[in-house]
Amino acid sequence: MNTFFKKYGLIVFALLTIVIVSIFLESEGSIVAWSILSVVLILMVYIIERFKSIRKLDELRKENMLSEIAILKSQLNPHFFFNTLNNLYSLSLTAPDTTPIMLLKLAELMRYTIYKGKEEKVSLADEWEYIKNYVELHKIRYKNEPSIVLHANLEKGTGMIPPLILITLVENAFKHGVEKLETDAFVNINLLESEHEIVFEVINNYDSSKKSSDGIGLANLRRRLELQYPNKHFLEITKTDVRFNVKLILK
């Protein structure tokens, strides 16, 4: 019923108006004409009220969805920023020449999270730059620097994407992989933009003897994908004894 009125309500309204005018002109003053006119007017009022109710319901659903997305965004791991600040302090004592560069990257990261994170869509290039800054800051946290390879093919250069939707997969690669491996840790991050889809892939090794769970990050990502890419995304997680491979495709 709701779908019918949303699609054809205005047509029905116009047809009813024509019928009213026609009947009234042909039978002006008759009881039948006035009776029909009254019924039609009641129907018209009903249709208008239904339109208002449906519009309000759609607006409420959209507001609820946007509120939920905002909450999911706000649940990004804040420990990263605190840990990074602590590491920057240590770095300022041991390698003061590199500290300004790292501070600049941290500032860019925080600026992106605070301001760009509020936007509905950002450019894919901006999101990729955010990921690169995140990785650079992560490197200073480890004595044994992991092998990290980043590759992007942004041929179109016009892709738009919800902000902070890719970073969860990168966070997981460090949290469950690099942070728990003492040596030989690696992370490969690939981003491909084509005419019809965006493909993001993260591959990392991990220590299978140390237990870990998906946590709230991956659950949040799945929910955001349901809200922002309904039936237009594909998330595949492949796990072996030594490696995670996560692929996300956005149509």
Side-chain angles (χ1 to χ4, degrees):
M1 191 69 171
N2 288 351
T3 304
F4 175 83
F5 281 117
K6 287 174 72 174
K7 289 184 177 180
Y8 307 110
L10 291 177
I11 297 175
V12 173
F13 183 87
L15 290 175
L16 287 175
T17 303
I18 293 171
V19 170
I20 292 169
V21 174
S22 300
I23 293 175
F24 186 78
L25 290 176
E26 292 178 5
S27 310
E28 185 176 1
S30 70
I31 296 176
V32 174
W34 281 108
S35 298
I36 294 175
L37 178 61
S38 299
V39 172
V40 173
L41 286 173
I42 292 172
L43 284 172
M44 290 170 61
V45 171
Y46 172 76
I47 291 171
I48 292 171
E49 290 301 317
R50 289 295 295 167
F51 269 122
K52 290 180 180 178
S53 298
I54 291 169
R55 186 166 58 249
K56 287 181 180 178
L57 183 60
D58 287 343
E59 290 174 356
L60 181 60
R61 286 173 177 167
K62 184 177 181 180
E63 287 175 4
N64 288 339
M65 184 185 75
L66 293 175
S67 297
E68 185 174 357
I69 291 171
I71 291 171
L72 293 173
K73 285 181 182 178
S74 69
Q75 292 175 350
L76 291 170
N77 185 6
H79 298 293
F80 167 73
F81 291 106
F82 292 117
N83 289 334
T84 301
L85 285 171
N86 288 331
N87 287 324
L88 282 172
Y89 172 73
S90 299
L91 190 68
S92 68
L93 300 176
T94 58
D97 291 342
T98 62
T99 304
I101 298 174
M102 293 295 105
L103 283 172
L104 183 62
K105 289 184 180 295
L106 180 61
E108 289 296 326
L109 209 65
M110 296 182 73
R111 185 180 297 111
Y112 187 93
T113 302
I114 294 169
Y115 296 108
K116 288 286 188 177
K118 295 179 181 179
E119 298 180 12
E120 185 177 348
K121 292 286 182 69
V122 297
S123 72
L124 194 57
D126 284 346
E127 187 78 358
W128 181 244
E129 191 65 27
Y130 175 84
I131 290 172
K132 289 195 296 182
N133 285 336
Y134 177 91
V135 170
E136 285 299 315
L137 283 171
H138 241 299
K139 287 181 179 180
I140 68 173
R141 297 182 58 190
Y142 309 105
K143 293 180 180 179
N144 298 317
E145 186 174 317
S147 171
I148 302 175
V149 178
L150 296 94
H151 177 260
N153 187 351
L154 308 180
E155 291 185 356
K156 302 293 291 184
T158 56
M160 302 295 289
I161 192 172
L164 308 172
I165 202 167
L166 302 179
I167 195 63
T168 296
L169 300 180
V170 180
E171 284 183 337
N172 281 351
F174 284 93
K175 180 180 178 181
H176 302 301
V178 176
E179 290 184 6
K180 297 183 178 181
L181 285 168
E182 295 181 2
T183 58
D184 301 325
F186 74 84
V187 180
N188 295 337
I189 303 172
N190 301 299
L191 178 63
L192 172 64
E193 176 193 14
S194 66
E195 186 174 354
H196 301 292
E197 64 184 19
I198 294 169
V199 181
F200 187 64
E201 186 175 29
V202 180
I203 305 169
N204 66 277
N205 58 345
Y206 73 103
D207 186 349
S208 58
S209 66
K210 297 180 180 179
K211 293 183 179 181
S212 62
S213 60
D214 292 339
I216 194 173
L218 194 56
N220 282 356
L221 174 61
R222 293 184 188 277
R223 182 57 182 156
R224 284 190 68 187
L225 291 172
E226 290 174 4
L227 292 171
Q228 297 179 292
Y229 286 90
N231 303 315
K232 292 183 179 181
H233 71 273
F234 172 76
L235 178 62
E236 180 184 59
I237 301 175
T238 305
K239 181 180 178 181
T240 68
D241 291 338
V242 295
R243 179 179 298 189
F244 274 111
N245 189 333
V246 183
K247 177 182 287 187
L248 174 61
I249 300 176
L250 304 176
K251 300 294 182 182

